[in-house]
Amino acid sequence: MNDLRIEDFDAFFREMHGPCTECERQGIAARKCEHVEPFAWQRDLARRVYSAGWPSTIELPTASGKTATIDVAVFTLALDPSKSRRAPLRVFFVVDRRVVVDEAHRRASRIATRLSRASSGVAHAVARRLRGLAGEGADPLVTAVLRGGIYREDGWARSPVQPLVAVSTVDQVGSRLLGRGYGVSDGMKPVHQGLVAHDSLIILDEAHLSEPFRETLEALRDYSVQADSPLPRPYRFVVMSATPKPRDAGPQHFRLEPGHPDLADRRPGRLLQRLEARKQTEVRAVDVGKPPAKAAPRSEQRAWSEGLPKRDSTFCSEVARVTRQLLDEVRCVGVVLNRVGTARQVFEQLRGHGSVDAVLLTGRSRPLDREAVTARIWAHARAGRERLGDARALVVVATQCIEAGADLDFDALVTECASLDALRQRCGRLDRLGELGASRAVVIARSDTLDDDPIYGQAIGLTWKWLRNKAKKPRGRRGAETSEKPPLIDFGHAHLPNPTPAELEGLLAPRREAPVLLPAHLDAWATTSPRPAADPDVALWLHGVSDEVADVQIVWRSDLPRERQDLWADIVALCPPGSAEALPVPVYVARAWLAATPGAEVADTVMSIADVEIPRTGEGRRALRWCGEDDPRSDVIGAGDVRPGDTLVVPSAWGGADEYGWLAGGSDAAGPVPDLGDRVQLEQRGRATLRIHGSLSERWVPDTSGSHAALRRLVRYVSNGVEEDGEPPDVDAILAVLSDAEDAAPWLREVARRLRDDPRRRLDAHPAGGIVLRSSRRVPYRSPASLNQPEEASAPEPDFTSQDDASSFVCRPVSLRNHSLGVERLARAFAGACGLDAGLVTDVALSGRLHDVGKADPRFQRWLHGGDEIAAALSELRAKSGMRSRRLRERAREIAGYPKGARHEMLSFAMIAREVDALGARDPDLVLHLVASHHGFCRPFAPVFDEPDDVLAEVDGGVANRALRASTADGARVSRLDSGISERYWSLLRRFGWLGLPYLEAILRLADHRRSEIEEYEEDTR
């Protein structure tokens, strides 16, 4: 197909999501299956977006297929691939809940995979159009889940011209948009901000849960147009909700009006079937007492607090009892609790119940562990499954995490009482597609939360009263009400009574308003180098004013020696943490755990609760705060130093979690937490990594395995006497045994095979004894646990995002001329494709040509040559070297005499400052800033360092079109307050805006990153 029309949307939809089950059995291709078709509203939305752009609000009921907005965004982008296009390149699908079984990401991944494989039909035409935007050799569409919390994990932020669908939360997208990305290094914050703020569409699902963020989006949009020279394609946002505010009605409001075709289509499988399904719900209460009045004596208050475990036990026993009753009638029951602790208790009571399988799903678990759990239950709990009467019964105990984005489908539901909107979301997982037609649910309220609740406030009590008033007693055979059974209310979409506007206000979860967003706040967030001491907390503008607390991420590693904490940073640098192995907990919980202090309750939603006071000094566990390789903030800290957004790496022996997630109080009862580091490198980053260390190799195969003894012996042999710069030990025997070990995990066998077959694999000495092997290339890997789920596509994540000079040592030796010309070409192509005017394109490209000329410093060249002065003198100027070991790099720097903390970009600035006009700059100030800030500094202050020497650095016209020279003393003077660096930054910020300048920086910096990636790939394929 050579052309695309809006009329092809139906065919695109079929090719992305077909064929249906029957056609699949008959071998009919997706594009020929006529049974998979979009709902009428999805078709209408595609036409609306194509002709008039995106509406401001979309009002749709639960289970109406709102994730198809992703299909609409991708298809309409392909319809408009011109340089003057209006369709946004990047889509951020935002849900203010932790994603467990994320239908939105699975849907996006399925689309990306099918587009990448398409060879005919509409899908091929769409893929061709998207590849035209992304550039030669790129994927037509990339998908990502932004979990945050891990530095240098930004595989989605690789290119400013790559079509993208990212699924994330308000915290992750909102913090990036405001320039304070959670888990993003200060140097990369502007890059993430620029990409989220331009050429992007933010789809805010269940917007009623995220009103403060919505207000912030509106305010920031208004500010962005006030720049003197605003850049094209600023972000736009769409809010989706089943309960929009009255102000949303208007010409930019999209909804299902009465008489819409979807509301009259009674064919099986259509939307009306979902809306008309009945969900008869019992309302029950468990009396565990009422909390004392606030004025009650302290002794009474203390006794009440101490009685919490008993109250929890009483409530959980009743939930478990009701669940067992339902399991006698149906095969798949969902149980939803408001707190992780009570969910864990109910799970423990049910997991040993007869012939029933029980699993626990919470947002307080590691993604790889959740993937394994959901893979076990997917065939028996997903929407659209074939219900088999002889299947083993299943109960899924979960928290609020399944309220949005979870494509689970229960036959019956037990839920703790919550606000009305939360209950509606939970019931949306009951008979999700309306296939049963009639189903049962039970809402259970506990008396001690009905007056006020840390999560739902007074809404939970008001909702309970409303349910009791609307529920009706079941009728007996003669039509009379019977008192033996609890009252019933139908939670089916078409049958649930509509509260009045006045009632509804009190039945919804507490909502807060964002503070007024002022230019002073935006100026503070624009200061990233260094960050100001008085730094406004962006959480206030994402969730409103409250005492809510953010998360930290905990990663467990087995190879951290307790007695050598000084080695922890070096050890972790050889196998950097990934978000798939990180467990999020509130900051107060992490502090309490490290300090061995009893922690507070944990919820899966934002929770208002007092922080736990932890002394700044004293005894307790210590953790490695990981901020990235060569970052001085990566240091071992105590409980009092833990801050929101930190990534903490701790020894596995400490316990604290099991396969289902966080244990109450961080208990170590379950034993050591498995180390997932090597697995994450393969499955998340596509790089085979194997740490040959005793603490890890002991768990490669079971103790009963025939290869266990052989592996122990081989590991012990190769680990003895390993020196960093000595002869590499023979590890092929270990890799051969692991490759053939049938009782080893599939991912581990794959790692061994890749390393065994890689002649350019890299070997480093493990600082605590042993070896670390890493493959020379990244190749995506799909775990067997995900093979029974919808197909996904993922790209390995690059490592070329460091703000430090370590990025000059990550690949083979590359000449300064070739690197500079390569960055110039990419920067020009990126800037042109981003719709910038000709002058900006010229300046961004010129900045790419000049950005690294400061590496001509003779001392830097000696450093790149390992400290060898003769080799540096006889070689062409280099931009990159292949020295990967941190210790060898530091040793070479000292030998070369390059000052610690010095920045080559400061010398680059000095070399071009007097020649920038002659070099062809249209906007000299912009070129100077882009060169000075291309590693994240000079926003607004340049880094200060001691410069003991006055050495001349110079390049010829082959690098910069004309000879350039400056002394290293000139480079050091750039750091002075009177150098003009700061004034230039603020002037450019006013000209291009708080969001525009970061976008220009991102275009140049990503061109630099991608060129470095290409140079490494050339090493692998030469």
Side-chain angles (χ1 to χ4, degrees):
M1 177 175 291
N2 296 321
D3 198 12
L4 278 178
R5 304 170 302 161
I6 188 62
E7 290 77 17
D8 294 322
F9 179 72
D10 284 25
F12 172 74
F13 192 92
R14 287 197 301 270
E15 293 180 26
M16 294 301 99
H17 308 296
C20 66
T21 303
E22 185 57 34
C23 289
E24 188 173 26
R25 287 173 180 168
Q26 298 180 24
I28 298 176
R31 64 177 181 274
K32 295 182 179 180
C33 170
E34 298 181 355
H35 304 100
V36 176
E37 58 178 301
F39 293 142
W41 76 260
Q42 296 164 344
R43 188 182 300 116
D44 292 345
L45 181 62
R47 293 177 182 275
R48 161 70 179 272
V49 171
Y50 176 65
S51 62
W54 283 87
S56 59
T57 58
I58 299 176
E59 178 184 355
L60 292 167
T62 301
S64 57
K66 288 180 288 186
T67 52
T69 51
I70 294 173
D71 301 59
V72 173
V74 172
F75 186 72
T76 53
L77 174 61
L79 285 173
D80 185 18
S82 65
K83 290 188 177 180
S84 59
R85 60 179 168 80
R86 295 179 304 165
L89 193 71
R90 288 174 285 276
V91 178
F92 295 91
F93 194 94
V94 180
V95 185
D96 200 19
R97 285 288 186 270
R98 290 181 180 83
V99 178
V100 176
V101 186
D102 192 346
E103 170 62 11
H105 183 240
R106 280 204 308 276
R107 187 183 193 97
S109 296
R110 180 167 60 244
I111 293 171
T113 299
R114 294 196 174 187
L115 288 176
S116 67
R117 299 173 180 173
S119 58
S120 61
V122 172
H124 178 64
V126 170
R128 179 172 50 80
R129 293 278 189 94
L130 298 182
R131 283 194 177 98
L133 292 168
E136 182 181 356
D139 294 318
L141 182 68
V142 167
T143 66
V145 175
L146 306 190
R147 298 186 181 99
I150 305 295
Y151 287 93
R152 293 183 64 180
E153 186 166 285
D154 40 25
W156 68 273
R158 303 179 67 250
S159 166
V161 297
Q162 173 65 60
L164 166 79
V165 175
V167 182
S168 190
T169 62
V170 166
D171 279 330
Q172 294 305 321
V173 173
S175 63
R176 283 167 167 81
L177 186 62
L178 294 177
R180 284 296 182 267
Y182 291 153
V184 181
S185 67
D186 286 348
M188 283 298 290
K189 280 180 171 66
V191 174
H192 285 231
Q193 182 181 30
L195 294 183
V196 175
H198 285 85
D199 214 348
S200 62
L201 172 70
I202 299 173
I203 301 176
L204 187 57
D205 193 16
E206 304 301 342
H208 60 284
L209 301 173
S210 314
E211 187 61 25
F213 181 47
R214 173 184 173 155
E215 294 171 352
T216 299
L217 285 171
E218 293 173 344
L220 190 59
R221 179 188 57 192
D222 294 340
Y223 277 129
S224 65
V225 300
Q226 297 178 15
D228 296 336
S229 302
L231 298 184
R233 301 172 190 161
Y235 76 88
R236 62 193 71 177
F237 69 95
V238 177
V239 297
M240 295 197 299
S241 178
T243 55
K245 290 190 172 183
R247 68 173 184 175
D248 294 329
Q252 291 298 312
H253 184 60
F254 181 89
R255 60 171 294 181
L256 299 184
E257 301 289 349
H260 189 276
D262 277 330
L263 301 180
D265 190 346
R266 295 191 173 277
R267 289 179 295 166
R270 306 310 291 168
L271 181 57
L272 193 61
Q273 175 178 286
R274 307 180 187 186
L275 302 181
E276 291 190 336
R278 291 192 170 274
K279 303 177 182 182
Q280 293 292 348
T281 304
E282 298 179 7
V283 288
R284 304 186 181 190
V286 178
D287 188 1
V288 294
K290 287 280 189 178
K294 293 183 179 179
R298 288 189 177 181
S299 58
E300 190 174 340
Q301 299 277 7
R302 189 181 308 110
W304 175 258
S305 298
E306 293 172 351
L308 178 61
K310 183 177 180 180
R311 297 196 302 274
D312 283 348
S313 178
T314 300
F315 172 71
C316 292
S317 295
E318 176 62 13
V319 172
R321 185 188 68 81
V322 172
T323 303
R324 293 188 188 100
Q325 290 179 344
L326 291 175
L327 285 169
D328 292 335
E329 304 172 17
V330 297
R331 312 304 297 168
C332 182
V333 178
V335 181
V336 186
L337 285 305
N338 295 346
R339 293 167 183 78
V340 175
T342 49
R344 171 74 71 165
Q345 286 190 46
V346 172
F347 165 69
E348 294 295 346
Q349 292 185 36
L350 292 172
R351 69 190 306 184
H353 177 64
S355 59
V356 175
D357 289 330
V359 298
L360 175 66
L361 292 177
T362 78
R364 304 297 181 180
S365 60
R366 298 187 292 184
L368 277 178
D369 289 334
R370 284 203 304 270
E371 178 184 292
V373 172
T374 54
R376 296 206 310 263
I377 68 170
W378 189 246
H380 304 295
R382 69 176 179 86
R385 69 183 182 276
E386 291 188 33
R387 287 179 163 84
L388 304 175
D390 57 349
R392 186 178 173 89
L394 171 68
V395 57
V396 178
V397 184
T399 54
Q400 300 95 337
C401 63
I402 68 166
E403 289 179 7
D407 200 28
L408 298 174
D409 188 1
F410 304 128
D411 300 336
L413 178 70
V414 180
T415 174
E416 183 175 355
C417 189
S419 60
L420 181 61
D421 50 338
L423 292 178
R424 291 180 67 175
Q425 290 293 331
R426 296 175 190 186
C427 286
R429 274 68 201 158
L430 174 62
D431 190 16
R432 184 162 174 77
L433 304 182
E435 294 173 335
L436 297 177
S439 53
R440 288 184 59 192
V442 181
V443 175
I444 304 179
R446 51 185 294 171
S447 59
D448 58 344
T449 64
L450 296 181
D451 290 333
D452 195 15
D453 183 74
I455 301 173
Y456 298 105
Q458 296 182 353
I460 191 171
L462 294 174
T463 297
W464 176 247
K465 292 178 182 178
W466 185 84
L467 291 175
R468 296 284 297 181
N469 289 335
K470 297 297 181 181
K472 299 178 180 179
K473 288 286 186 180
R475 296 187 177 273
R477 293 183 178 179
R478 297 183 180 181
E481 291 186 352
T482 175
S483 60
E484 287 107 18
K485 295 183 179 180
L488 297 173
I489 184 171
D490 194 335
F491 259 87
H493 177 83
H495 310 288
L496 183 67
N498 289 321
T500 65
E503 288 177 326
L504 184 61
E505 191 65 28
L507 303 179
L508 302 179
R511 304 177 187 180
R512 300 175 178 88
E513 294 183 352
V516 176
L517 185 63
L518 299 175
H521 300 131
L522 299 176
D523 280 347
W525 295 326
T527 305
T528 60
S529 175
R531 276 203 277 173
D535 196 14
D537 184 0
V538 295
L540 298 176
W541 284 266
L542 305 181
H543 300 292
V545 179
S546 71
D547 55 354
E548 296 161 354
V549 292
D551 285 347
V552 300
Q553 310 283 329
I554 300 180
V555 173
W556 285 265
R557 290 296 175 84
S558 296
D559 56 343
L560 302 181
R562 298 191 191 187
E563 67 282 359
R564 291 298 309 274
Q565 296 180 4
D566 58 308
L567 297 178
W568 285 7
D570 288 340
I571 292 171
V572 173
L574 292 172
C575 185
S579 61
E581 62 174 326
L583 192 153
V585 298
V587 64
Y588 62 84
V589 171
R591 289 174 180 168
W593 181 55
L594 291 177
T597 302
E601 291 180 282
V602 181
D604 252 358
T605 186
V606 188
M607 187 173 178
S608 299
I609 196 162
D611 203 349
V612 177
E613 290 293 333
I614 301 298
R616 296 288 300 180
T617 59
E619 297 183 0
R621 293 169 169 168
R622 296 176 67 79
L624 171 68
R625 176 195 280 136
W626 176 251
C627 299
E629 186 177 359
D630 288 328
D631 192 311
R633 294 170 302 162
S634 290
D635 196 12
V636 178
I637 61 173
D641 298 315
V642 175
R643 296 291 176 263
D646 278 350
T647 296
L648 305 178
V649 187
V650 300
S652 295
W654 288 0
D658 64 6
E659 62 179 317
Y660 295 109
W662 184 252
L663 295 167
S667 168
D668 59 359
V673 180
D675 183 327
L676 302 178
D678 292 338
R679 182 179 170 190
V680 160
Q681 306 310 308
L682 178 70
E683 297 189 9
Q684 192 170 4
R685 297 195 170 111
R687 166 158 276 164
T689 301
L690 187 66
R691 289 167 291 159
I692 301 177
H693 185 272
S695 62
L696 293 155
S697 58
E698 287 289 334
R699 297 174 176 82
W700 282 346
V701 294
D703 294 346
T704 56
S705 170
S707 55
H708 185 267
L711 284 170
R712 287 189 63 184
R713 183 174 62 255
L714 290 169
V715 168
R716 192 182 309 115
Y717 173 74
V718 302
S719 298
N720 289 333
V722 177
E723 296 183 5
E724 191 160 28
D725 53 355
E727 288 295 322
D730 183 7
V731 297
D732 287 329
I734 292 177
L735 299 178
V737 173
L738 273 180
S739 301
D740 298 332
E742 295 183 357
D743 41 12
W747 69 265
L748 183 56
R749 295 200 301 271
E750 177 68 15
V751 164
R753 282 194 290 267
R754 290 191 184 190
L755 291 171
R756 181 191 60 191
D757 299 335
D758 186 353
R760 293 187 175 89
R761 67 189 181 216
R762 291 153 188 157
L763 185 150
D764 292 289
H766 193 292
I771 303 164
V772 180
L773 295 175
R774 290 182 287 183
S775 63
S776 60
R777 292 187 60 186
R778 300 177 184 85
V779 180
Y781 171 77
R782 194 166 174 215
S783 67
S786 66
L787 296 181
N788 63 338
Q789 299 185 27
E791 55 203 298
E792 297 186 5
S794 61
E797 297 172 355
D799 287 335
F800 300 98
T801 56
S802 173
Q803 70 182 62
D804 299 308
D805 275 320
S807 60
S808 299
F809 299 88
V810 292
C811 64
R812 68 181 178 89
V814 178
S815 75
L816 180 59
R817 180 179 183 277
N818 288 342
H819 179 70
S820 299
L821 292 177
V823 175
E824 179 187 28
R825 286 192 296 269
L826 271 179
R828 186 182 303 279
F830 283 171
C834 290
L836 303 185
D837 64 46
L840 288 177
V841 171
T842 296
D843 287 339
V844 172
L846 179 61
S847 302
R849 179 79 176 254
L850 303 173
H851 75 292
D852 269 353
V853 294
K855 290 183 177 179
D857 182 340
R859 301 167 303 173
F860 198 97
Q861 289 298 306
R862 291 198 295 269
W863 188 11
L864 291 175
H865 285 80
D868 189 331
E869 184 173 1
I870 296 177
L874 296 177
S875 299
E876 182 181 5
L877 290 176
R878 284 185 180 181
K880 304 285 182 181
S881 179
M883 198 188 315
R884 293 178 177 272
S885 167
R886 292 179 48 168
R887 296 188 177 188
L888 290 180
R889 287 201 304 268
E890 180 61 17
R891 189 184 310 165
R893 184 195 64 78
E894 293 175 353
I895 295 172
Y898 192 74
K900 190 174 183 63
R903 302 298 317 174
H904 70 271
E905 59 267 36
M906 300 301 97
L907 183 55
S908 297
F909 179 96
M911 293 174 72
I912 69 173
R914 290 186 292 270
E915 304 285 344
V916 66
D917 289 309
L919 287 166
R922 305 286 184 88
D923 186 340
D925 281 346
L926 177 62
V927 173
L928 288 169
H929 170 72
L930 292 180
V931 169
S933 65
H934 81 268
H935 278 295
F937 295 101
C938 301
R939 308 185 82 251
F941 301 115
V944 178
F945 56 92
D946 292 328
E947 177 54 80
D949 303 320
D950 190 1
V951 180
L952 181 67
E954 54 186 339
V955 297
D956 58 26
V959 175
N961 278 334
R962 63 186 295 126
L964 299 174
R965 66 188 62 190
S967 73
T968 56
D970 293 332
R973 280 192 285 270
V974 174
S975 299
R976 291 172 45 165
L977 290 177
D978 61 356
S979 67
I981 286 280
S982 178
E983 291 82 354
R984 182 179 292 104
Y985 174 69
W986 291 115
S987 174
L988 292 170
L989 201 68
R990 297 293 178 258
R991 189 187 314 168
F992 296 108
W994 289 287
L995 303 181
L997 186 59
Y999 189 45
L1000 295 174
E1001 295 173 18
I1003 293 171
L1004 171 64
R1005 295 181 63 187
L1006 292 177
D1008 188 16
H1009 298 170
R1010 296 294 69 73
R1011 179 59 196 172
S1012 295
E1013 187 176 13
I1014 291 170
E1015 288 160 353
E1016 183 189 42
Y1017 179 75
E1018 288 175 348
E1019 173 200 19
D1020 296 332
T1021 57
R1022 60 182 175 175

